[in-house]
Amino acid sequence: MNTERKEKLLSMLCLGKAESMEFLEAIDENAIGQTVCGFLNSSGGYIIVGVSKTFEVLAHSPEQDFLSLEQAIKLKVVPQAMFSFETQILEENKLVLVIEVPSGKDFPYSYNGRFFVREKDQTLPAPVDT
């Protein structure tokens, strides 16, 4: 893991050292929705879309419809919850999507009929007893 690159990226995003982070290379509605659900069922966090596992900024097209993605995910999260989508332009004018998810207040949350939790740096299906 390139710690220096990660610190630089978090600094560019003005997030400082955030423990609850998920980096996704590409737009994947299910991966984003499951991670949102996991963060809601834990202490919250940030999802940064457009960044590789080695923390290289990959970027997205400015024409991508992030609003419809946000609405589609909000429809599948039950009960309703607040989380925000925001785009930021980083190095070399590369656009990334930053999703801020606070800790939920109305547990448990599901995404598309399934429950997810965060364990360390992973989003996992919630165990039945949870």
Short mmCIF file of all heavy atoms in Angstrom, two decimals, residues 8 12 15 19-20 30 34 37 42 47 50 57-58 64-65 67 78 82 90 96 102 105-106 109 117 122:
data_model
loop_
_atom_site.label_atom_id
_atom_site.label_comp_id
_atom_site.label_asym_id
_atom_site.label_seq_id
_atom_site.Cartn_x
_atom_site.Cartn_y
_atom_site.Cartn_z
N LYS A 8 -1.54 11.93 0.41
CA LYS A 8 -1.66 13.04 -0.54
C LYS A 8 -3.09 13.12 -1.08
O LYS A 8 -3.67 14.20 -1.15
CB LYS A 8 -0.68 12.87 -1.70
CG LYS A 8 -0.74 13.99 -2.70
CD LYS A 8 0.25 13.79 -3.84
CE LYS A 8 0.08 14.89 -4.87
NZ LYS A 8 0.83 14.61 -6.08
N MET A 12 -5.74 16.13 -0.59
CA MET A 12 -6.38 16.82 -1.72
C MET A 12 -7.89 16.85 -1.54
O MET A 12 -8.56 17.79 -1.93
CB MET A 12 -6.03 16.14 -3.04
CG MET A 12 -4.63 16.41 -3.52
SD MET A 12 -4.34 15.82 -5.20
CE MET A 12 -4.52 14.07 -5.03
N LEU A 15 -9.88 15.47 3.57
CA LEU A 15 -10.49 14.53 4.50
C LEU A 15 -9.57 14.19 5.66
O LEU A 15 -10.00 13.56 6.61
CB LEU A 15 -10.87 13.23 3.77
CG LEU A 15 -11.93 13.36 2.69
CD1 LEU A 15 -12.17 12.02 2.03
CD2 LEU A 15 -13.22 13.91 3.26
N GLU A 19 -10.35 6.85 8.90
CA GLU A 19 -10.24 5.40 9.05
C GLU A 19 -11.29 4.67 8.24
O GLU A 19 -11.04 3.59 7.74
CB GLU A 19 -10.36 5.02 10.52
CG GLU A 19 -9.20 5.50 11.34
CD GLU A 19 -9.35 5.15 12.81
OE1 GLU A 19 -10.20 4.31 13.16
OE2 GLU A 19 -8.61 5.74 13.61
N SER A 20 -12.45 5.24 8.12
CA SER A 20 -13.55 4.58 7.43
C SER A 20 -13.61 5.04 5.98
O SER A 20 -14.39 5.93 5.64
CB SER A 20 -14.86 4.87 8.14
OG SER A 20 -14.81 4.41 9.47
N ASN A 30 -24.07 -1.57 -7.31
CA ASN A 30 -24.22 -2.53 -6.20
C ASN A 30 -23.11 -2.39 -5.18
O ASN A 30 -23.37 -2.42 -3.98
CB ASN A 30 -24.30 -3.96 -6.73
CG ASN A 30 -25.67 -4.27 -7.29
OD1 ASN A 30 -26.67 -3.78 -6.79
ND2 ASN A 30 -25.71 -5.07 -8.33
N GLN A 34 -23.99 -1.33 -1.39
CA GLN A 34 -23.66 -2.21 -0.28
C GLN A 34 -22.73 -1.52 0.72
O GLN A 34 -22.90 -1.66 1.93
CB GLN A 34 -22.99 -3.48 -0.82
CG GLN A 34 -23.95 -4.36 -1.59
CD GLN A 34 -23.26 -5.51 -2.31
OE1 GLN A 34 -22.08 -5.78 -2.11
NE2 GLN A 34 -24.02 -6.19 -3.17
N CYS A 37 -24.65 1.00 2.75
CA CYS A 37 -25.40 0.27 3.77
C CYS A 37 -24.48 -0.16 4.92
O CYS A 37 -24.82 0.01 6.09
CB CYS A 37 -26.06 -0.95 3.13
SG CYS A 37 -27.05 -1.94 4.25
N SER A 42 -22.69 1.02 10.66
CA SER A 42 -21.52 1.12 11.54
C SER A 42 -21.31 2.58 11.91
O SER A 42 -22.26 3.27 12.19
CB SER A 42 -20.28 0.51 10.86
OG SER A 42 -19.93 1.25 9.71
N ILE A 47 -16.75 6.99 0.64
CA ILE A 47 -16.47 6.15 -0.52
C ILE A 47 -15.91 7.09 -1.58
O ILE A 47 -16.54 8.11 -1.90
CB ILE A 47 -17.75 5.47 -1.05
CG1 ILE A 47 -18.43 4.68 0.07
CG2 ILE A 47 -17.43 4.60 -2.26
CD1 ILE A 47 -19.86 4.27 -0.24
N GLY A 50 -13.13 6.31 -8.34
CA GLY A 50 -12.24 6.85 -9.36
C GLY A 50 -10.79 6.81 -8.90
O GLY A 50 -9.94 7.53 -9.39
N VAL A 57 -5.27 8.35 -9.00
CA VAL A 57 -6.53 8.94 -9.42
C VAL A 57 -6.78 8.55 -10.87
O VAL A 57 -5.98 8.86 -11.75
CB VAL A 57 -6.50 10.48 -9.26
CG1 VAL A 57 -7.82 11.08 -9.72
CG2 VAL A 57 -6.21 10.85 -7.81
N LEU A 58 -7.91 7.86 -11.12
CA LEU A 58 -8.23 7.36 -12.45
C LEU A 58 -9.17 8.29 -13.21
O LEU A 58 -9.11 8.38 -14.41
CB LEU A 58 -8.84 5.97 -12.35
CG LEU A 58 -7.98 4.93 -11.63
CD1 LEU A 58 -8.76 3.64 -11.44
CD2 LEU A 58 -6.70 4.69 -12.39
N GLN A 64 -20.96 11.81 -16.82
CA GLN A 64 -21.63 10.75 -16.10
C GLN A 64 -22.73 11.30 -15.22
O GLN A 64 -22.59 12.36 -14.63
CB GLN A 64 -20.64 9.94 -15.27
CG GLN A 64 -20.31 8.66 -15.97
CD GLN A 64 -19.25 7.87 -15.27
OE1 GLN A 64 -18.21 8.39 -14.91
NE2 GLN A 64 -19.53 6.61 -15.10
N ASP A 65 -23.83 10.58 -15.16
CA ASP A 65 -25.00 11.04 -14.43
C ASP A 65 -24.96 10.53 -12.99
O ASP A 65 -25.53 9.49 -12.66
CB ASP A 65 -26.26 10.56 -15.14
CG ASP A 65 -27.51 11.19 -14.56
OD1 ASP A 65 -27.40 11.99 -13.60
OD2 ASP A 65 -28.60 10.89 -15.07
N LEU A 67 -26.26 12.00 -10.42
CA LEU A 67 -27.53 12.25 -9.74
C LEU A 67 -28.45 11.04 -9.84
O LEU A 67 -29.06 10.63 -8.86
CB LEU A 67 -28.22 13.50 -10.31
CG LEU A 67 -29.54 13.88 -9.66
CD1 LEU A 67 -29.36 14.15 -8.17
CD2 LEU A 67 -30.12 15.12 -10.33
N VAL A 78 -33.07 0.96 2.82
CA VAL A 78 -34.24 0.97 3.71
C VAL A 78 -33.77 0.77 5.13
O VAL A 78 -33.00 -0.15 5.39
CB VAL A 78 -35.23 -0.15 3.30
CG1 VAL A 78 -36.41 -0.21 4.27
CG2 VAL A 78 -35.71 0.06 1.87
N MET A 82 -29.75 9.62 5.11
CA MET A 82 -29.06 10.74 4.47
C MET A 82 -27.61 10.35 4.18
O MET A 82 -26.93 9.81 5.05
CB MET A 82 -29.07 11.97 5.39
CG MET A 82 -30.44 12.52 5.69
SD MET A 82 -31.31 13.08 4.22
CE MET A 82 -30.33 14.50 3.79
N LEU A 90 -9.43 16.59 -9.06
CA LEU A 90 -8.13 16.43 -8.45
C LEU A 90 -7.03 16.64 -9.48
O LEU A 90 -7.26 17.23 -10.52
CB LEU A 90 -8.02 15.05 -7.81
CG LEU A 90 -9.04 14.76 -6.71
CD1 LEU A 90 -8.80 13.38 -6.13
CD2 LEU A 90 -8.97 15.79 -5.59
N VAL A 96 -13.38 12.85 -9.55
CA VAL A 96 -13.71 11.68 -8.73
C VAL A 96 -15.03 11.95 -8.02
O VAL A 96 -15.45 13.09 -7.87
CB VAL A 96 -12.60 11.35 -7.69
CG1 VAL A 96 -11.31 10.97 -8.37
CG2 VAL A 96 -12.41 12.48 -6.71
N PRO A 102 -22.91 9.24 6.87
CA PRO A 102 -22.83 9.33 8.33
C PRO A 102 -23.26 8.00 8.95
O PRO A 102 -23.84 7.15 8.29
CB PRO A 102 -23.84 10.44 8.66
CG PRO A 102 -24.84 10.35 7.56
CD PRO A 102 -24.07 9.93 6.33
N LYS A 105 -28.99 6.17 12.10
CA LYS A 105 -29.69 6.31 13.37
C LYS A 105 -30.84 5.31 13.52
O LYS A 105 -31.34 5.09 14.61
CB LYS A 105 -30.21 7.74 13.52
CG LYS A 105 -29.08 8.77 13.55
CD LYS A 105 -29.60 10.13 13.93
CE LYS A 105 -28.61 11.24 13.89
NZ LYS A 105 -27.23 10.99 14.08
N ASP A 106 -31.30 4.74 12.40
CA ASP A 106 -32.45 3.83 12.42
C ASP A 106 -32.05 2.42 12.00
O ASP A 106 -32.45 1.94 10.96
CB ASP A 106 -33.55 4.36 11.48
CG ASP A 106 -34.04 5.73 11.88
OD1 ASP A 106 -34.25 5.95 13.08
OD2 ASP A 106 -34.22 6.57 10.99
N TYR A 109 -30.03 -1.11 8.53
CA TYR A 109 -30.27 -0.65 7.17
C TYR A 109 -30.03 -1.80 6.21
O TYR A 109 -29.16 -2.65 6.44
CB TYR A 109 -29.32 0.50 6.80
CG TYR A 109 -29.64 1.77 7.55
CD1 TYR A 109 -29.08 2.01 8.79
CD2 TYR A 109 -30.51 2.71 7.02
CE1 TYR A 109 -29.38 3.17 9.50
CE2 TYR A 109 -30.81 3.87 7.71
CZ TYR A 109 -30.25 4.09 8.95
OH TYR A 109 -30.55 5.23 9.64
N VAL A 117 -22.53 -4.98 6.74
CA VAL A 117 -21.80 -4.34 7.83
C VAL A 117 -20.37 -4.09 7.37
O VAL A 117 -19.91 -4.67 6.38
CB VAL A 117 -21.79 -5.22 9.11
CG1 VAL A 117 -23.19 -5.35 9.69
CG2 VAL A 117 -21.19 -6.58 8.83
N GLN A 122 -13.55 -3.70 5.05
CA GLN A 122 -14.36 -4.46 4.11
C GLN A 122 -15.85 -4.31 4.41
O GLN A 122 -16.25 -4.17 5.56
CB GLN A 122 -14.03 -5.95 4.17
CG GLN A 122 -12.64 -6.29 3.69
CD GLN A 122 -12.44 -7.81 3.71
OE1 GLN A 122 -12.90 -8.49 4.63
NE2 GLN A 122 -11.78 -8.32 2.70
#
